[in-house]
């Protein structure tokens, strides 16, 4: 296990060349069939969300009755040549979480990196991408960490640094204040807190990163939700002096509810507690227990000092007891490339493009593959037809895959409009007018039973009424809860845990258009009424368990401040 | 579960799209959302590389049909002639309606006063808002990118503007997932940024991949320039050079294109797109840091302008 990963001094140009070389190495690794080692020290378990015994396979060619061969934009043998990755998530016990730095998922079997191939791969400009967000209470050091990371990773350009130095100097500070790299609003700089999410884009030789630095203040939880909703990893910071506080719990709960796949605990300001291991261990243990009660199986805990730079990009000599990876190390290596759980194709229709008497349906496929000739259902009407052609931005293709924006044509003249969902005929979601969901309420005006709202699901907006708010009279700003809605027209939604895109929705105020609530169809992974019980033990792994529901629903409302359960 | 808009590798993960494909696909999604939700959308088109890429994306999003959007250019009166030619050709080639809001006309009518020493960039806000109001545009596409500037890094993809065109960064709507809320009251409008997640390098790589034609001033060429505000400026009607500033011939190119009085050229030998990409990848300055005089004025210059309704 590396204890320090020193980022070499690279210009961005060198970085690009480096990425190209890396890519070449990966390609040659793949071609020779080596490199199946993964960043896990454990025996691989089943993929989270996949049924037990499900054999993961490449996304194309798995469905019965279809001729294999990926979308035509891809060389057909691309998937086959690649060694299959083993998922690292989904260890079936909640306590299999890590409490010490040397037990991170990266484990101690560091994947051996092949010698870099010298071959130049033209056009290979990409690297893996990780979207991640910061989280944690106000002043725990999120923005400082981001600034430190960008600075130490040499992702701050000269003029940006100069501007920060100038401002810091004007304020009488001796060293450049790194929070100024992301706290870009006047009010943020004046108050010294983050108000809204800042997005930053940077790359190391191993990965590209899109990072959302979110605010810790409880009043701006809505902005934290915005930043975390698309993240694949959240770094929750805790001030080593204060330990886990209420806002830490709330953010952890939001991240769990949004099902951010990877949670990292960064115990920050270690410099203020003499880099003492027991402080770190105690916080890691407490946080891990809390996360476990929220259904988060795995937490990687890393001690850092964002201000000084210990454990962020370079390992710290002041924490010899920490043998795990640095934060950047972990961010670069955490396995997010695993295959998505097999789920049926979904195509929300965004717009109808009429041309030469033909109707083309524009949209972005959110899952799996759709092929010319597939039988499909148009929801909520339920009529079936066949896909007659697929256009990938002006080019006819045989298939479209997840995340591609395409236009479809259908064999029959059906009445299809914006807001409809096209899904495989045998595997469409059930259209319903009764929606049960976990929600984060994001607006100052509380949400009450009986209220009329607009529900925005994929590209469809329908009127709805709040039928029930569980366990409480109303949901106030930043509350998490569970509600039941009745819609005026049916919507075709998946459970959020199966599909983020088709399982999420917004509640919008019909009067002024404000976004009031973020909703996730299905339930919370834990019981939002008491936060003490697992609603469905093993949620995400055993479909049978999922439907069992909570038997211990109490009338207490949960507002993010329950004590840890274990 | 892959998050929406998750952008993947070209190489390592066959389940994700190559990064330019992913950015392109996300932009298509945004354009089509606007087409589905708004009545009178318009693209802010300056003839600069970001707006050119934006138009290219719009054309792709609605193929085979023509783009259901008009173009709006805020002409400071001090634009590069090459860029104005390019703008007119593009509008004609694609049969697009081009609205021009002229800063000069506002100055001539006495509705705007020019600061004696200031650039014209901040003056664009009034004509812009006037054009939006007169034409009742409800969605206005801008080519702004979050990597450009620290206030832009905070902006939503769908950014609501009040009746005065103002942006209130403290009251932005939450925007979780890819669920863009475009609801607005009469008189309000929404600014839409399809390039939010693109970096300068992404834009150039995309231009290369798609073989998009750009105004020639983006590539290295010999030009008569003088040093002003610490950059190479082109002399012209706008007033430069002043006394004591001498012009010289240099090999330069423009990294951004805006008002001549405050957009600087950089020394460059990059005459082809691949050379430009190499140059940018190695640059230690941000594009605005290297080329914009007006942003050196104050720390929150961009935020202040945006609050007033600027792009
Ligand atoms: N001693 C010490 N101080 C730190 C460390 N990290 C952050 N700080 C200080 O903690 C204060 C708050 O840091 P920020 O980065 O603004 O905190 P934040 O989490 O981004 O706060 P919000 O965004 O407002 O929620 C600043 O004064 C930092 O200098 C650290 O590792 N050690
Ligand atoms: Mg902050």
């Amino acid at each position: 296990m590396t204890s320090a990963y020193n980022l070499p001094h690279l210009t961005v140009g060198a970085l690009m060349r480096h990425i190209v070389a890396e890519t070449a190495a990966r390609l040659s690794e793949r071609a020779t069939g080596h490199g199946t080692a993964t960043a896990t020290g454990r025996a691989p378990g089943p993929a989270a969300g996949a049924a037990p015994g499900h054999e993961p396979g490449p996304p194309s060619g798995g469905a019965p009755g279809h001729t294999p061969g990926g979308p035509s934009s891809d060389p057909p043998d691309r998937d086959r040549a690649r060694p299959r990755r083993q998922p690292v998530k989904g260890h079936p016990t909640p306590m299999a979480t890590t409490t010490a730095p040397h037990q991170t998922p990266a484990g101690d079997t560091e994947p051996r990196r092949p010698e870099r191939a010298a071959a130049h791969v033209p056009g290979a400009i990409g690297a893996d991408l990780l979207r991640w967000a910061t989280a944690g209470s106000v002043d725990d050091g999120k923005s400082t960490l981001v600034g430190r990371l960008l600075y130490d990773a040499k992702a701050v350009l000269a003029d940006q640094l100069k501007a920060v130095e100038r401002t810091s100097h004007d304020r009488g500070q001796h060293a450049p204040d790194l929070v100024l790299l992301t706290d870009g609003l006047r009010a943020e700089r004046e108050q010294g807190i983050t108000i809204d999410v800042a997005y930053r884009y940077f790359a190391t030789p191993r990965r590209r990163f899109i990072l959302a630095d979110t605010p810790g203040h409880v009043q701006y939880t809505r902005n934290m939700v915005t930043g975390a909703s698309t993240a694949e990893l959240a770094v929750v910071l805790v001030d080593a002096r204060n330990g886990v506080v209420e806002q830490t719990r709330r953010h952890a709960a939001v991240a769990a509810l949004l099902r951010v796949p990877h949670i990292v605990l960064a115990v920050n300001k270690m410099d203020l507690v003499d880099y003492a291991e027991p402080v770190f261990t105690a916080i890691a243990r407490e946080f891990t227990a809390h996360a476990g009660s929220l259904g988060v199986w795995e937490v990687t805990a890393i001690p850092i000092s964002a201000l000084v730079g210990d454990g962020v990009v370079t390992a710290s000599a002041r924490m010899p007891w920490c043998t795990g990876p640095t934060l950047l190390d972990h961010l670069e290596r955490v396995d997010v490339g695993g295959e998505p759980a097999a789920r049926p194709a979904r195509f929300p229709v965004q717009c109808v493009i009429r041309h030469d008497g033909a109707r083309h349906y524009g949209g972005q496929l959110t899952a799996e593959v759709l092929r010319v000739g597939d039988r499909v259902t148009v929801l909520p009407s339920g009529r079936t037809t066949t896909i007659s052609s697929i256009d990938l931005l002006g080019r006819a293709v045989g298939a479209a895959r997840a995340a591609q924006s395409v236009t479809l044509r259908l064999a029959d003249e059906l009445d299809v409009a914006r807001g409809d969902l096209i899904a495989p005929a045998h595997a469409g979601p059930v259209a319903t007018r009764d929606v049960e969901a976990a929600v984060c309420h994001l607006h100052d005006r509380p949400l009450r039973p009986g209220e009329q709202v607009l529900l925005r699901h994929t590209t469809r907006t329908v009127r709805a009424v709040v039928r029930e708010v569980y366990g409480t009279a109303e949901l106030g700003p930043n509350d998490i809860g569970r509600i039941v809605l009745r819609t005026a027209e049916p919507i075709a939604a998946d459970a959020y845990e199966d599909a983020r895109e088709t399982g999420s929705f917004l509640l919008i105020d019909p009067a002024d258009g404000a976004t009031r609530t973020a909703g996730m169809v299905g339930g919370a992974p834990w019981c939002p009424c008491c936060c003490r019980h697992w609603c469905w033990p093993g949620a995400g792994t055993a479909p049978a368990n999922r439907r069992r529901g909570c038997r211990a629903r109490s009338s207490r409302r949960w507002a993010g401040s329950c004590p840890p359960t274990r | 579960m892959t998050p929406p808009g998750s952008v993947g590798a070209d190489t390592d993960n066959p389940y994700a799209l190559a990064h330019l494909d992913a950015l392109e696909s996300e932009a298509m999604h945004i354009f089509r959302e606007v087409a589905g939700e708004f009545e009178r959308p318009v693209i802010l088109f300056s003839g600069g590389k970001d707006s050119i890429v934006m138009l290219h994306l719009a054309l792709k999003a609605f193929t085979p049909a023509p783009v259901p959007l008009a173009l709006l250019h805020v002409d400071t009166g001090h634009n590069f002639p090459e860029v104005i030619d390019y703008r007119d050709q593009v509008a004609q080639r694609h049969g697009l309606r081009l609205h021009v809001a002229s800063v000069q006309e506002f100055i001539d009518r006495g509705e705007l006063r020019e600061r004696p020493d200031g650039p014209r960039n901040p003056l664009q806000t009034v004509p812009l808002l006037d054009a939006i109001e007169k034409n009742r545009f409800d969605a206005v596409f801008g080519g702004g990118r979050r990597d450009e500037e620290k206030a832009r890094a905070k902006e939503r993809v769908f950014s609501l503007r009040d009746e005065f065109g103002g942006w209130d960064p403290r009251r932005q709507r939450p925007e979780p997932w890819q669920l863009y809320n475009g609801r607005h009251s009469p008189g309000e409008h929404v600014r839409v940024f399809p390039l939010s997640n693109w970096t300068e390098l992404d834009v150039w790589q995309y231009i290369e991949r798609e073989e998009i034609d750009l105004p020639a001033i983006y590539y290295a060429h010999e030009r008569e320039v003088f040093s002003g505000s610490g950059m190479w400026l082109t002399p012209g009607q706008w007033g430069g050079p002043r006394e004591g500033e001498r012009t010289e011939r240099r090999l330069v190119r423009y990294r951004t294109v805006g008002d001549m009085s405050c957009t600087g050229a950089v020394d460059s030998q990059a005459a082809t797109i691949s050379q430009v990409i190499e140059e940018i990848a190695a640059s230690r300055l941000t594009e605005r840091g290297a080329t914009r005089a007006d942003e050196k004025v104050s720390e929150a210059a961009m935020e202040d302008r945006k609050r007033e309704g600027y792009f």
Side-chain angles (χ1 to χ4, degrees):
Chain A
M1 181 87 240
T2 34
S3 56
Y5 176 59
N6 288 306
L7 197 71
H9 282 243
L10 290 175
T11 61
V12 186
L15 201 88
M16 295 281 301
R17 287 189 285 283
H18 193 96
I19 290 171
V20 168
E22 276 273 306
T23 308
R26 280 206 213 106
L27 285 176
S28 69
E29 177 189 329
R30 197 188 303 165
T32 53
H34 295 309
T36 44
T38 55
T40 174
R42 269 214 286 306
H54 168 75
E55 178 64 15
S60 54
H66 292 303
T67 37
S72 55
S73 58
D74 248 355
D77 57 350
R78 184 174 162 176
D79 296 347
R80 249 174 282 140
R82 179 179 165 275
R84 183 172 301 152
R85 278 186 180 214
Q86 300 295 348
V88 295
K89 291 183 297 181
H91 201 280
T93 82
M95 296 314 289
T97 45
T98 50
T99 53
H102 52 273
Q103 291 171 351
T104 62
D108 44 19
T109 54
E110 197 55 27
R112 263 178 301 111
R113 283 206 283 152
E115 293 301 319
R116 280 201 187 105
H120 192 81
V121 181
I125 48 166
D128 218 357
L129 186 130
L130 177 72
R131 273 182 189 249
W132 63 282
T134 58
S137 187
V138 69
D139 274 355
D140 282 358
K142 298 177 289 300
S143 303
T144 308
L145 169 67
V146 168
R148 166 60 60 190
L149 202 56
L150 294 172
Y151 183 78
D152 284 359
K154 309 274 180 286
V156 181
L157 297 180
D159 54 315
Q160 294 172 318
L161 191 60
K162 212 159 165 201
V164 166
E165 278 167 354
R166 205 184 314 122
T167 309
S168 307
H169 180 80
D170 292 348
R171 297 173 166 192
Q173 288 162 309
H174 297 298
D177 187 352
L178 295 174
V179 302
L180 297 174
L181 285 168
T182 56
D183 284 350
L185 299 176
R186 191 189 283 282
E188 293 178 327
R189 289 167 173 235
E190 280 164 9
Q191 297 174 34
I193 63 163
T194 305
I195 291 172
D196 211 332
V197 200
Y199 292 92
R200 296 294 309 235
Y201 307 80
F202 71 105
T204 67
R206 282 168 174 271
R207 268 199 174 144
R208 278 165 199 279
F209 298 94
I210 298 183
L211 124 68
D213 180 34
T214 72
H217 197 289
V218 61
Q219 191 185 337
Y220 303 116
T221 304
R222 58 176 191 269
N223 298 332
M224 182 271 180
V225 171
T226 299
S229 67
T230 51
E232 296 152 291
L233 180 146
V235 176
V236 183
L237 276 87
V238 169
D239 185 328
R241 295 169 303 175
N242 307 336
V244 176
V245 297
E246 172 174 351
Q247 189 64 355
T248 319
R249 293 176 198 281
R250 187 190 305 266
H251 276 190
V254 170
L257 200 63
L258 290 167
R259 289 174 193 270
V260 177
H262 301 268
I263 305 287
V264 174
L265 168 72
V267 178
N268 188 30
K269 310 198 186 180
M270 288 301 290
D271 55 311
L272 300 179
V273 295
D274 290 333
Y275 299 97
E277 183 177 12
V279 176
F280 166 75
T281 313
I283 292 171
R285 194 163 288 148
E286 184 181 355
F287 182 85
T288 304
H290 176 65
S293 75
L294 300 171
V296 174
W297 311 109
E298 247 179 44
V299 174
T300 302
I302 301 173
I304 62 167
S305 168
L307 193 66
V308 184
D310 294 298
V312 180
V313 169
T314 48
S316 168
R318 287 171 281 231
M319 292 185 280
W321 46 269
C322 172
T323 53
T326 65
L327 183 65
L328 181 63
D329 232 346
H330 181 68
L331 294 173
E332 286 185 315
R333 285 153 202 253
V334 62
D335 187 1
V336 289
E339 40 211 297
R343 52 193 173 116
R346 298 284 183 259
F347 186 83
V349 176
Q350 287 188 276
C351 59
V352 182
I353 299 168
R354 288 182 194 80
H355 186 68
D356 276 350
R359 290 162 66 85
H360 305 251
Y361 302 108
Q364 188 174 26
L365 194 66
T366 65
E368 266 289 335
V369 179
L370 277 180
R371 294 184 178 77
V372 174
D374 280 359
R375 287 296 288 171
V376 291
T377 311
V378 180
L379 293 160
S381 77
R383 297 209 176 79
T384 56
T385 180
T386 306
I387 296 178
S388 61
S389 71
I390 302 177
D391 255 355
L392 179 66
L393 309 177
R395 191 159 51 87
V397 292
R401 63 183 170 130
Q404 279 183 332
S405 283
V406 295
T407 53
L408 304 181
R409 290 180 62 187
L410 302 176
D412 303 290
E413 276 294 326
L414 299 183
D415 177 18
V416 180
R418 174 172 171 82
D420 287 344
L421 183 81
I422 294 175
H426 57 279
V430 181
T432 176
R433 290 177 55 199
D434 296 298
V435 181
E436 179 166 353
V439 294
C440 294
H441 188 61
L442 309 173
H443 200 268
D444 293 341
R445 220 168 322 139
L447 190 73
R448 301 195 174 97
E451 234 186 297
Q452 298 251 354
V453 289
L454 293 171
L455 185 150
R456 169 73 189 270
H457 170 250
T458 64
T459 57
R460 187 176 185 81
T461 305
V462 297
R463 286 186 300 123
V465 60
V466 181
R467 268 283 181 82
E468 197 172 344
V469 176
Y470 282 127
T472 175
E474 61 176 40
L475 287 175
N478 310 309
D479 276 355
I480 295 170
R482 184 186 280 178
I483 64 171
V484 177
L485 296 155
R486 172 85 174 163
T487 60
E489 293 161 58
I491 62 164
D494 288 297
Y496 182 80
E497 68 175 307
D498 296 333
R500 258 179 171 179
E501 300 87 343
T502 44
S504 54
F505 63 85
L506 302 179
L507 297 184
I508 294 172
D509 194 305
D512 63 3
T515 301
R516 292 182 61 198
T517 309
M520 288 139 276
V521 178
W526 73 97
C527 172
C529 350
C530 59
C531 135
R532 287 171 186 280
H533 298 87
W534 295 83
C535 283
W536 33 77
T541 44
N545 277 344
R546 258 184 238 160
R547 283 182 280 276
R548 204 180 290 155
C550 178
R551 274 165 292 148
R553 192 176 282 153
S554 84
S555 59
R556 264 193 47 218
R557 102 161 134 143
W558 186 78
S561 56
C562 290
T565 48
R566 277 159 260 239
Chain B
M1 173 169 16
T2 316
S6 166
V7 191
D10 298 344
T11 50
D12 206 25
N13 178 4
Y15 305 95
L17 301 182
H19 96 281
L20 287 180
D21 288 332
L23 289 171
E24 181 185 56
S25 183
E26 180 182 67
M28 300 290 122
H29 178 257
I30 294 165
F31 272 107
R32 290 167 174 177
E33 281 303 285
V34 170
E37 296 263 311
F38 292 85
E39 312 261 304
R40 297 177 65 82
V42 68
I43 298 180
L44 288 174
F45 189 80
S46 66
K49 66 176 190 320
D50 299 317
S51 63
I52 291 169
V53 164
M54 208 166 41
L55 176 59
H56 182 86
L57 291 163
L59 290 164
K60 280 187 122 177
F62 301 104
T63 50
V67 179
L69 308 165
L71 302 183
L72 170 61
H73 181 218
V74 182
D75 185 347
T76 63
H78 295 154
N79 284 294
F80 294 91
E82 298 91 330
V83 176
I84 297 292
D85 289 347
Y86 182 97
R87 174 198 80 184
D88 294 341
Q89 280 169 23
V90 162
Q92 203 183 18
R93 183 172 346 130
H94 301 294
L96 295 168
R97 170 111 193 257
L98 173 69
H99 301 263
V100 178
S102 161
V103 173
Q104 189 63 53
E105 283 175 18
F106 275 76
I107 293 173
D108 293 347
R109 285 203 302 268
E111 291 174 38
L112 273 180
R113 176 134 4 114
E114 205 159 8
R115 289 186 290 166
D117 199 29
R120 278 192 174 181
N121 250 1
L123 299 186
Q124 296 181 86
T125 302
V126 173
L128 168 67
L129 295 179
D130 178 71
I132 291 172
E133 192 190 322
K134 286 217 172 89
N135 295 288
R136 288 178 292 115
F137 293 129
D138 52 2
V140 180
F141 284 101
R145 309 187 319 263
R146 287 171 177 158
D147 89 317
E148 264 181 274
E149 206 277 335
K150 58 190 183 306
R152 289 213 158 138
K154 299 264 164 182
E155 192 147 21
R156 302 282 188 258
V157 175
F158 273 39
S159 182
L160 186 68
R161 300 302 163 106
D162 63 20
E163 307 92 299
F164 306 100
W167 177 56
D168 186 352
R170 304 193 60 165
R171 300 202 56 83
Q172 296 199 89
R173 280 180 183 163
E175 193 171 73
W177 305 293
Q178 278 189 306
L179 293 172
Y180 304 119
N181 177 2
R183 297 244 149 198
H184 59 281
S185 308
E188 296 177 338
H189 71 276
V190 176
R191 298 281 171 89
V192 182
F193 300 100
L195 304 184
S196 284
N197 290 323
W198 296 51
T199 64
E200 184 190 16
L201 199 55
D202 295 331
V203 168
W204 280 102
Q205 287 172 343
Y206 188 71
I207 289 168
E208 180 181 42
R209 189 185 88 170
E210 302 282 301
E211 298 176 358
I212 298 171
D213 203 27
L214 291 186
I217 65 171
Y218 276 112
Y219 300 103
H221 57 288
E222 289 235 344
R223 176 178 284 264
E224 200 73 28
V225 290
F226 68 97
S227 168
S229 315
M231 317 180 297
W232 296 120
L233 297 175
T234 299
Q237 281 180 346
W238 59 270
R242 280 171 301 189
E243 271 185 45
E245 293 172 331
R246 277 216 329 275
T247 68
E248 55 186 294
R249 260 192 112 62
R250 295 188 76 93
L251 193 58
V252 296
R253 68 175 205 89
Y254 281 86
R255 229 172 126 179
T256 65
V257 163
D259 187 73
M260 282 174 89
S261 62
C262 57
T263 308
V266 294
D267 285 320
S268 169
Q269 318 225 338
T272 66
I273 178 104
S274 56
Q275 287 165 351
V276 169
I277 289 175
E278 216 167 287
E279 188 183 283
I280 288 166
S283 171
R284 295 302 299 153
L285 293 177
T286 64
E287 78 179 31
R288 299 190 85 86
T291 65
R292 292 299 172 99
D294 49 332
E295 261 144 52
K296 297 179 178 163
V297 179
S298 121
E299 210 190 36
M302 175 63 93
E303 179 185 342
D304 293 345
R305 271 186 287 159
K306 286 178 76 65
R307 281 171 173 276
E308 287 162 13
Y310 189 74
F311 306 118

